[in-house]
Amino acid sequence: MTSAAPKLAVLVKGWPRLSETFIAQELVALQEAGHSFDIWSLRHPTDTKRHPLHDRFNGQVHYLPEYLFEEPERIAAARTIASRLPGYGDAYRVWRQDLRRDPSHNRIRRFGQACVLAAELPQETQALYAHFMHTPSSVARYASIMRGLPWSFSAHAKDIWTSPDWEKREKLQLATHGAAFGATCTAIGAAHLRDLADDPERVELIYHGLDLSRFPAPPERNIRATNAPFRMLSVGRLVEKKGFDRLIEAFARLPKTLNWHWTHIGGGNLAKMLSAQADAAGLSERITWMGACDQPEVIAEMRNADLFVLPSRIAEDGDRDGLPNVLMEAASQRLPILSTPVSAIPEFIETSVHGVLASDDPSALATAITDMAVNPIRTAGMAEAAFDRLIADFRMDPGIRRLSKRLNALCADGL
């Protein structure tokens, strides 16, 4: 059980979030490893469902003011308390410097949230740990300066590739009130951050891995007959970097002889546009849009599918996937995988060995889908290899042990 006065404060963008199962998995594992912490969330939940994993977290969840104007009395009281803290002047100076380079409402909101965090944290708090290097880390950094506490972060994908280098560099250098350490979940991300850090050793590669205890053993999969229906599944938000617009274009190029169906799980701001794209291409009868689903529903669909497709690409603003946990989840069910060689995906999937990594060009995707459909024995062999790789190299436990060691040292530094 967690103590009444947690030593660690964990900041997240929102809690709970269906699309961030990797965070819930990590936090539950850290709690089970003996860490005492509460969650401080920058936003209230918007998902109507939650994973069973979220219910295993037994600490408190505190919600910072999502918009400052909605809680003026809380903001005013926090600002009064924060302004009396020894580090407030330094935090205000750092924030003003950041604001000059990023004159946005979001930057103002971050400082207000930091004042609330610094004012409301229990006196026993020894350290802060933020998930994502952009907004949550900014709030953690400002609050840590006010309270004189060490802080750390875990970086993922969008936060690495869309944040300006000046901000990442200052969050990675102790001379500018940077983090005591930063964890990141891909080798490509770790290399980038180490180039910006004053000490590369403070950036640690820690794959999320998969907690296999949350997943059933893979089903017994018979080799699919080449003339049988070919059931494809994708799980991911309907946003630009997931590449589903190009996948729909690829579906329109599949041979008429292939009897296929595609199921999509996930919400996102491109839902109407992509549905209209499918309608215009005459594909709607072959597509099922399931919307946001919880983990048991996702697993059930994986066990019934013949191919998992994730056509990730780099968005116009530079946003991209890291190493999506959903690929490991598919591998856990021996579901064959088709994806793209974007970012860290090749760190798990070697093409033609553990799955197929094709270009995100619609013609290339269509060719890859067809090849995997008409070569079921080879496709099944790659799924078996991906399952073996998951078991050998991408379990959750090793990463949790390393992160736990880092967090224990961080809290000791804050004594």
Side-chain angles (χ1 to χ4, degrees):
M1 296 293 290
T2 57
S3 66
K7 298 178 181 179
L8 184 67
V10 175
L11 275 75
V12 298
K13 288 191 299 182
W15 181 274
R17 282 187 164 185
L18 288 175
S19 63
E20 295 176 359
T21 313
F22 58 94
I23 294 178
Q25 172 184 269
E26 176 194 286
L27 296 186
V28 168
L30 287 172
Q31 197 169 65
E32 292 175 350
H35 290 271
S36 172
F37 58 88
D38 284 351
I39 289 173
W40 295 78
S41 177
L42 275 58
R43 295 179 182 176
H44 290 271
T46 57
D47 295 322
T48 57
K49 296 182 179 182
R50 56 192 287 139
H51 293 309
L53 191 61
H54 292 125
D55 296 325
R56 289 171 56 188
F57 175 72
N58 58 20
Q60 293 186 4
V61 181
H62 309 268
Y63 291 96
L64 296 172
E66 188 165 347
Y67 297 100
L68 304 186
F69 68 85
E70 293 179 339
E71 299 186 61
E73 293 181 359
R74 187 181 179 194
I75 294 293
R79 184 76 181 270
T80 298
I81 295 171
S83 65
R84 298 170 182 158
L85 294 171
Y88 180 82
D90 279 348
Y92 184 80
R93 176 185 55 79
V94 169
W95 170 67
R96 291 291 297 181
Q97 183 180 22
D98 291 348
L99 185 63
R100 283 193 291 271
R101 292 172 291 186
D102 174 29
S104 65
H105 291 295
N106 281 337
R107 184 66 62 175
I108 295 170
R109 185 187 312 159
R110 292 172 202 175
F111 191 75
Q113 290 176 320
C115 287
V116 174
L117 180 64
E120 296 183 1
L121 278 175
Q123 286 302 312
E124 296 82 1
T125 303
Q126 296 170 2
L128 293 86
Y129 172 55
H131 260 286
F132 290 102
M133 197 180 182
H134 49 4
T135 308
S137 284
S138 292
V139 175
R141 182 184 179 216
Y142 301 145
S144 76
I145 299 170
M146 295 180 202
R147 288 287 296 265
L149 297 172
W151 73 282
S152 59
F153 67 82
S154 182
H156 303 291
K158 181 177 182 178
D159 51 330
I160 296 176
W161 304 114
T162 64
S163 296
D165 280 356
W166 65 261
E167 184 166 10
K168 290 180 287 192
R169 185 177 291 108
E170 291 180 10
K171 287 175 177 174
L172 284 163
Q173 300 190 5
L174 291 179
T176 49
H177 300 284
F181 79 88
T184 190
C185 52
T186 66
I188 190 173
H192 175 70
L193 295 181
R194 284 167 181 158
D195 285 342
L196 298 171
D198 53 1
D199 179 4
E201 292 299 317
R202 291 193 299 106
V203 177
E204 184 153 4
L205 170 60
I206 300 178
Y207 287 114
H208 295 304
L210 207 63
D211 178 6
L212 292 172
S213 69
R214 295 193 296 111
F215 294 84
E220 291 294 329
R221 293 184 179 272
N222 297 321
I223 298 298
R224 177 185 148 271
T226 55
N227 61 348
F230 191 56
R231 300 161 298 182
M232 291 178 281
L233 172 68
S234 296
V235 180
R237 289 179 299 131
L238 295 170
V239 295
E240 183 185 0
K241 70 177 179 180
K242 297 296 183 180
F244 293 126
D245 55 336
R246 296 183 182 178
L247 182 60
I248 292 172
E249 287 187 53
F251 290 151
R253 304 181 186 205
L254 292 176
K256 302 298 183 185
T257 53
L258 183 61
N259 179 14
W260 63 272
H261 190 90
W262 180 54
T263 297
H264 176 270
I265 293 176
N269 58 16
L270 298 183
K272 290 184 179 179
M273 186 197 82
L274 293 170
S275 179
Q277 179 187 353
D279 288 343
L283 302 175
S284 295
E285 292 185 358
R286 291 179 176 268
I287 296 175
T288 299
W289 304 96
M290 292 187 66
C293 293
D294 58 29
Q295 193 75 46
E297 292 171 313
V298 172
I299 294 171
E301 291 299 321
M302 285 182 171
R303 294 172 71 86
N304 289 323
D306 299 305
L307 180 67
F308 186 84
V309 188
L310 187 66
S312 301
R313 63 187 175 99
I314 300 176
E316 288 294 324
D317 65 356
D319 189 14
R320 68 201 76 178
D321 276 327
L323 175 52
N325 263 38
V326 72
L327 293 177
M328 289 179 273
E329 292 172 8
S332 79
Q333 301 305 299
R334 286 199 182 95
L335 177 58
I337 294 168
L338 167 61
S339 192
T340 56
V342 168
S343 192
I345 293 173
E347 293 175 34
F348 178 56
I349 300 293
E350 181 182 348
T351 193
S352 300
V353 177
H354 311 105
V356 173
L357 300 183
S359 161
D360 63 6
D361 174 76
S363 294
L365 289 169
T367 297
I369 290 169
T370 304
D371 286 348
M372 296 183 82
V374 301
N375 291 287
I377 296 176
R378 181 168 63 87
T379 298
M382 289 187 287
E384 187 70 30
F387 177 77
D388 291 343
R389 177 154 171 71
L390 171 68
I391 299 301
D393 300 322
F394 284 86
R395 290 177 177 267
M396 175 191 69
D397 296 347
I400 292 297
R401 285 194 292 270
R402 289 162 58 200
L403 180 59
S404 179
K405 183 177 179 180
R406 284 277 197 174
L407 291 173
N408 280 329
L410 184 72
C411 289
D413 289 342
L415 288 173

